[in-house]
CSV table of all heavy atoms in Angstrom, one decimal:
chain,number,residue,atom,x,y,z
A,180,LYS,N,1.3,-14.0,16.6
A,180,LYS,CA,0.3,-13.2,17.2
A,180,LYS,C,0.4,-11.8,16.5
A,180,LYS,O,1.3,-11.2,16.3
A,180,LYS,CB,0.5,-12.9,18.6
A,180,LYS,CG,-0.5,-12.0,19.3
A,180,LYS,CD,-0.3,-11.9,20.8
A,180,LYS,CE,-1.6,-11.1,21.4
A,180,LYS,NZ,-1.3,-10.9,22.9
A,181,THR,N,-0.8,-11.6,15.8
A,181,THR,CA,-1.0,-10.4,14.9
A,181,THR,C,-1.5,-9.2,15.7
A,181,THR,O,-2.6,-9.4,16.4
A,181,THR,CB,-1.8,-10.7,13.7
A,181,THR,OG1,-1.3,-11.8,13.0
A,181,THR,CG2,-2.0,-9.4,12.9
A,182,LEU,N,-0.8,-8.1,15.7
A,182,LEU,CA,-1.2,-7.0,16.5
A,182,LEU,C,-1.6,-5.9,15.6
A,182,LEU,O,-0.8,-5.6,14.5
A,182,LEU,CB,-0.2,-6.5,17.5
A,182,LEU,CG,0.2,-7.5,18.5
A,182,LEU,CD1,1.4,-7.0,19.4
A,182,LEU,CD2,-0.9,-7.9,19.4
A,183,PHE,N,-2.7,-5.1,15.7
A,183,PHE,CA,-3.0,-4.0,14.9
A,183,PHE,C,-2.9,-2.6,15.8
A,183,PHE,O,-3.5,-2.7,16.9
A,183,PHE,CB,-4.4,-4.1,14.4
A,183,PHE,CG,-4.5,-5.2,13.3
A,183,PHE,CD1,-4.9,-6.4,13.8
A,183,PHE,CD2,-4.2,-5.1,12.0
A,183,PHE,CE1,-5.0,-7.5,12.9
A,183,PHE,CE2,-4.2,-6.0,11.1
A,183,PHE,CZ,-4.7,-7.3,11.6
A,184,HIS,N,-2.2,-1.7,15.3
A,184,HIS,CA,-2.1,-0.4,16.1
A,184,HIS,C,-1.8,0.8,15.2
A,184,HIS,O,-1.8,0.6,14.0
A,184,HIS,CB,-0.9,-0.6,17.2
A,184,HIS,CG,0.4,-0.7,16.4
A,184,HIS,ND1,1.3,0.3,16.2
A,184,HIS,CD2,1.0,-1.8,16.0
A,184,HIS,CE1,2.4,-0.1,15.6
A,184,HIS,NE2,2.2,-1.4,15.4
A,185,THR,N,-1.9,1.9,15.7
A,185,THR,CA,-1.7,3.1,14.9
A,185,THR,C,-0.3,3.7,15.3
A,185,THR,O,0.2,3.6,16.3
A,185,THR,CB,-2.9,4.2,15.2
A,185,THR,OG1,-2.7,4.6,16.6
A,185,THR,CG2,-4.2,3.6,14.9
A,186,ILE,N,0.2,4.5,14.2
A,186,ILE,CA,1.5,5.1,14.4
A,186,ILE,C,1.2,6.5,13.9
A,186,ILE,O,0.4,6.8,13.0
A,186,ILE,CB,2.6,4.5,13.6
A,186,ILE,CG1,2.3,4.4,12.1
A,186,ILE,CG2,2.9,3.1,14.1
A,186,ILE,CD1,3.5,3.9,11.2
A,187,GLU,N,1.8,7.5,14.6
A,187,GLU,CA,1.7,8.9,14.2
A,187,GLU,C,2.4,9.3,12.9
A,187,GLU,O,3.5,8.7,12.6
A,187,GLU,CB,2.3,9.7,15.4
A,187,GLU,CG,1.6,9.7,16.7
A,187,GLU,CD,0.2,10.1,16.7
A,187,GLU,OE1,0.0,11.2,16.0
A,187,GLU,OE2,-0.7,9.5,17.2
A,188,LEU,N,1.8,10.2,12.2
A,188,LEU,CA,2.4,10.5,10.9
A,188,LEU,C,3.2,11.8,11.0
A,188,LEU,O,3.0,12.6,12.0
A,188,LEU,CB,1.3,10.8,9.9
A,188,LEU,CG,0.4,9.6,9.5
A,188,LEU,CD1,-0.7,10.0,8.5
A,188,LEU,CD2,1.2,8.5,8.9
A,189,SER,N,4.0,12.1,10.1
A,189,SER,CA,4.8,13.3,10.1
A,189,SER,C,4.7,13.8,8.7
A,189,SER,O,4.1,13.2,7.8
A,189,SER,CB,6.3,13.1,10.5
A,189,SER,OG,6.8,12.1,9.7
A,190,TRP,N,5.2,15.0,8.4
A,190,TRP,CA,5.1,15.6,7.2
A,190,TRP,C,5.8,14.8,6.1
A,190,TRP,O,6.8,14.1,6.4
A,190,TRP,CB,5.8,17.0,7.1
A,190,TRP,CG,5.7,17.7,5.8
A,190,TRP,CD1,4.7,18.6,5.4
A,190,TRP,CD2,6.6,17.6,4.6
A,190,TRP,NE1,4.9,19.0,4.1
A,190,TRP,CE2,6.0,18.4,3.6
A,190,TRP,CE3,7.7,16.9,4.4
A,190,TRP,CZ2,6.6,18.6,2.4
A,190,TRP,CZ3,8.3,17.1,3.2
A,190,TRP,CH2,7.8,17.9,2.1
A,191,PRO,N,5.2,14.6,4.8
A,191,PRO,CA,4.1,15.3,4.3
A,191,PRO,C,2.7,14.4,4.6
A,191,PRO,O,1.7,15.0,4.2
A,191,PRO,CB,4.3,15.3,2.8
A,191,PRO,CG,5.2,14.0,2.6
A,191,PRO,CD,6.0,13.8,3.9
Side-chain angles (χ1 to χ4, degrees):
K180 184 177 181 180
T181 302
L182 301 174
F183 296 91
H184 61 97
T185 62
I186 59 174
E187 295 296 316
L188 297 177
S189 56
W190 185 90

